[in-house]
């Protein structure tokens, strides 16, 4: 049990910086190139307002992180199986948050940023199904905010990567928790039968 709880705690500690980085990346999307005017003028892409990194990969991910880190703080032996089952439920919640962050970032990359072009404020790459990502020479059609395509693509790719890492961590805890919850009673039965 000690090993599985220690492993869960280390997974929780790994989730904290991932969640914080997701929150920061999402907040940076609100301020293209560090400027506030586009937020004030409501010139941000629609998927920025879905807060995939802030809500799903960030705040929601802190719930399983706290659950994992605090595992085993109670010395009551009778609740150890329930404790691991609770950590599995928290990991499932984390999977949902990371999945939401991944989906929002993916759709945002496919749509592309809202920018000012020769046609006015528009989604210049919306009808390309993400092909613009492989054609950096076309990014210059976005005149304002300056370098908005690079800014958006970089931050959305960071959110995609962070959400994948969060999924891996949560899956590890699901495996850890289920194995411990299932095997622990079996081990106790064997110990009881050996001592009888």
């Amino acid at each position: 049990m000690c090993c599985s709880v220690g492993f869960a705690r280390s997974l929780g500690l790994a989730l904290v910086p991932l969640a914080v980085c997701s929150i920061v990346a999402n907040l940076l999307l609100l301020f293209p190139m560090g400027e506030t005017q586009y937020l004030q003028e409501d010139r941000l892409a629609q998927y920025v307002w879905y807060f995939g990194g802030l809500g799903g990969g960030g705040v929601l991910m802190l719930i399983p992180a706290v659950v994992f880190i605090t595992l085993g703080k109670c010395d009551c032996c009778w609740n150890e199986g329930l404790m691991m089952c609770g950590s599995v439920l928290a990991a499932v919640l984390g999977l949902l948050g990371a999945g939401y962050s991944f989906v929002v970032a993916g759709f945002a990359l496919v749509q592309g940023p809202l920018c000012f072009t020769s046609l006015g404020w528009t989604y210049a790459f919306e009808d390309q199904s993400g092909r613009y990502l492989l054609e950096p020479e076309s990014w210059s059609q976005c005149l304002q905010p300056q370098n908005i395509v690079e800014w958006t693509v970089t931050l959305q790719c960071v959110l995609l990567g962070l959400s994948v890492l969060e999924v891996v961590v949560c899956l590890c805890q699901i495996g850890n928790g289920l194995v411990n919850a299932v095997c622990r009673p079996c081990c106790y039965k064997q110990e009881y039968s050996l001592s009888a």
Side-chain angles (χ1 to χ4, degrees), residues 65-146:
V66 169
V67 170
F68 299 168
I69 291 170
T70 58
L71 279 178
K73 298 293 183 184
C74 176
D75 292 332
C76 305
C77 295
W78 61 269
N79 72 353
E80 289 178 353
L82 290 175
M83 177 179 63
M84 292 310 283
C85 289
S87 74
V88 169
L89 292 176
V92 170
L93 183 65
L95 278 179
L96 293 174
Y100 176 73
S101 179
F102 184 87
V103 168
V104 170
F107 278 120
L109 278 174
V110 169
Q111 183 184 49
L114 176 68
C115 63
F116 184 77
T117 66
S118 57
L119 302 174
W121 286 96
T122 184
Y123 292 98
F125 310 107
E126 189 173 26
D127 59 345
Q128 293 186 14
S129 301
R131 286 191 312 273
Y132 77 96
L133 295 168
L134 304 174
E135 301 168 355
E137 64 277 0
S138 68
W139 297 358
S140 59
Q141 63 184 293
C142 279
L143 306 174
Q144 288 181 12
Q146 191 175 13

Side-chain angles (χ1 to χ4, degrees), residues 21-22 25 105 152-164:
C21 289
S22 289
T152 302
V153 168
T154 300
L155 291 172
Q156 296 293 2
C157 286
V158 165
L159 286 172
L160 281 175
L162 289 170
S163 61
V164 168

Side-chain angles (χ1 to χ4, degrees), residues 152-188:
T152 302
V153 168
T154 300
L155 291 172
Q156 296 293 2
C157 286
V158 165
L159 286 172
L160 281 175
L162 289 170
S163 61
V164 168
L165 291 174
E166 290 170 342
V167 165
V168 169
V169 171
C170 289
L171 286 176
C172 285
Q173 180 52 27
I174 288 174
N176 178 40
L178 288 177
V179 166
N180 190 271
V182 170
C183 292
R184 183 171 172 74
C186 299
C187 294
Y188 272 143

